[in-house]
Amino acid sequence: MGLHDGHRKRLMERLDSGTMLTHEDLEMLLFYVIPRKNTNGLAHKLLQEFGSLRAIFSASVEALCRVDGVGLQVAAFLSLIGKLCDKIYTLPYSDYEGAFESARFIPYVYGKLSKEKEELAEVYSLNKKGEVVRCRRIDGENAFNVNVLPEQISHAFLDKDTVGVVLVHNHPFGRAQPSETDDLTTRKCQMLCSCHNVLLCDHLIVAPSGVYSYYVSGRMQEFSENYSVDSLIKKGK
């Protein structure tokens, strides 16, 4: 057994416990690219330099190599982890061309989601031209839980070219009508978008019977006027 094998084994035994600290997560990840050395110090250096795991995995190979102890192999490994994570949580979007338009987008999402048998949500990012540049999907039994989605759409703000967001979720066995939870989610997401100076363009609910659009129904404007940073400032005066 090597000098550091006992420590590594103890970390691995804690992997499923949910008690590992951020630097320990990174330290353990570095085991696989630095097999024979203590990686604790390097994990701390990386966090001190970049501030967070997200920043580390988003950094360029060149920037990573500037950290003492990080060679090309380690930098490439960390950069690859970041790119793989991005692919896992991001669906490339290429079959909807041109600017976002409700008349074209609504039939598109209906064809895409109306036959889904599980609940899911999608967050579409729009650039300055109004083009769909990215789609993030949230899967799972509680994919559109009001406590989950506002946190999930914040990932869209990491894209520097995002100026607008479209939310889509489905009712696999219900009607294309918003519930109280859907309304609350829309309000929260509208407020979150307002804080980041991003336009919440629409929230679409897809069901086998059709699609409900908060924008087409006129309610998106109502939420935009009442749930924004400006509206809070005006109410506070």
Side-chain angles (χ1 to χ4, degrees):
M1 179 178 287
L3 179 63
H4 307 293
D5 289 348
H7 175 62
R8 293 187 175 200
K9 182 180 179 182
R10 287 191 292 273
L11 278 184
M12 289 181 180
E13 289 173 348
R14 290 170 52 203
L15 185 60
D16 291 332
S17 68
T19 62
M20 291 178 65
L21 302 175
T22 299
H23 77 272
E24 291 176 325
D25 292 329
L26 184 56
E27 178 186 358
M28 186 171 175
L29 186 64
L30 290 169
F31 289 172
Y32 299 97
V33 71
I34 307 176
R36 299 299 177 191
K37 293 183 180 180
N38 185 346
T39 59
N40 181 276
L42 184 56
H44 280 287
K45 281 184 182 179
L46 285 163
L47 285 167
Q48 184 176 2
E49 176 68 23
F50 294 100
S52 68
L53 288 177
R54 184 184 301 280
I56 291 170
F57 295 135
S58 300
S60 66
V61 171
E62 181 181 2
L64 289 164
C65 283
R66 296 193 194 107
V67 178
D68 185 33
V70 175
L72 181 60
Q73 186 175 2
V74 172
F77 177 76
L78 294 174
S79 178
L80 177 61
I81 294 294
K83 288 177 170 57
L84 289 175
C85 289
D86 191 53
K87 287 183 178 180
I88 290 171
Y89 292 106
T90 302
L91 299 178
Y93 194 85
S94 60
D95 54 351
Y96 181 87
E97 299 180 354
F100 168 79
E101 298 174 356
S102 294
R104 291 198 302 121
F105 194 73
I106 288 175
Y108 170 79
V109 294
Y110 178 76
K112 187 178 181 183
L113 303 180
S114 61
K115 295 182 180 180
E116 290 284 347
K117 301 304 180 184
E118 295 183 358
E119 289 189 27
L120 56 87
E122 292 183 337
V123 182
Y124 293 83
S125 300
L126 310 183
N127 63 15
K128 292 179 181 179
K129 296 180 180 179
E131 299 168 331
V132 176
V133 293
R134 181 165 292 190
C135 171
R136 289 177 168 84
R137 172 171 288 191
I138 308 165
D139 296 289
E141 183 179 355
N142 295 314
F144 212 72
N145 184 286
V146 68
N147 295 318
V148 175
L149 187 58
E151 299 173 5
Q152 294 287 346
I153 72 162
S154 64
H155 293 300
F157 307 142
L158 298 176
D159 302 324
K160 294 181 180 179
D161 57 348
T162 296
V163 299
V165 167
V166 178
L167 310 181
V168 181
H169 84 282
N170 66 330
H171 290 173
F173 306 105
R175 299 171 56 206
Q177 291 295 323
S179 64
E180 291 184 7
T181 298
D182 294 332
D183 284 351
L184 181 58
T185 296
T186 308
R187 295 187 189 104
K188 285 189 173 184
C189 292
Q190 162 57 33
M191 182 61 73
L192 184 58
C193 285
S194 173
C195 290
H196 289 268
N197 198 29
V198 171
L199 178 65
L200 179 57
C201 301
D202 202 353
H203 175 184
L204 300 167
I205 302 172
V206 180
S209 59
V211 179
Y212 178 90
S213 164
Y214 276 81
Y215 173 77
V216 173
S217 70
R219 299 184 68 202
M220 199 68 255
Q221 182 177 353
E222 171 196 339
F223 287 170
S224 178
E225 292 174 351
N226 294 307
Y227 298 93
S228 67
V229 174
D230 288 342
S231 67
L232 285 180
I233 293 175
K234 289 178 182 178
K235 290 178 181 178
K237 289 183 178 180

